[in-house]
Amino acid sequence: MSFTQDKIVRGLNNCLSINEIADRIGIHYKTAVSHKKNIMSKFNLHSKTELYEFISCYQKKKQ
């Protein structure tokens, strides 16, 4: 996962919206959405539920 994608995951894990994440890391909203879609595609995630389950496991492994 790229450095920016990791920041997107951390932001989502902290209950931030994509807009808030984009503002905080200094990228355009559409770029943040694209990173989120790429994360979902890379890990074969098909729903928000699967995405958030993945994020939960991913963050636990990083600790």
Side-chain angles (χ1 to χ4, degrees):
M1 186 177 311
S2 74
F3 182 71
T4 304
Q5 288 174 339
D6 188 65
K7 286 183 176 184
I8 300 290
V9 167
R10 282 189 273 137
L12 291 171
N13 190 53
N14 290 324
C15 301
L16 298 176
S17 70
I18 289 293
N19 249 344
E20 291 170 319
I21 296 166
D23 287 344
R24 287 186 182 199
I25 63 176
I27 60 175
H28 192 273
Y29 165 79
K30 288 185 178 182
T31 304
V33 169
S34 179
H35 280 298
K36 179 182 162 191
K37 286 180 183 178
N38 289 339
I39 292 165
M40 292 182 73
S41 176
K42 184 182 288 187
F43 294 99
N44 201 29
L45 308 171
H46 302 288
S47 68
K48 285 184 180 181
T49 302
E50 288 180 352
L51 174 63
Y52 284 99
E53 287 173 358
F54 166 79
I55 289 170
S56 177
C57 291
Y58 180 76
Q59 290 300 319
K60 286 178 186 175
K61 285 186 176 186
K62 288 196 76 167
Q63 292 176 350

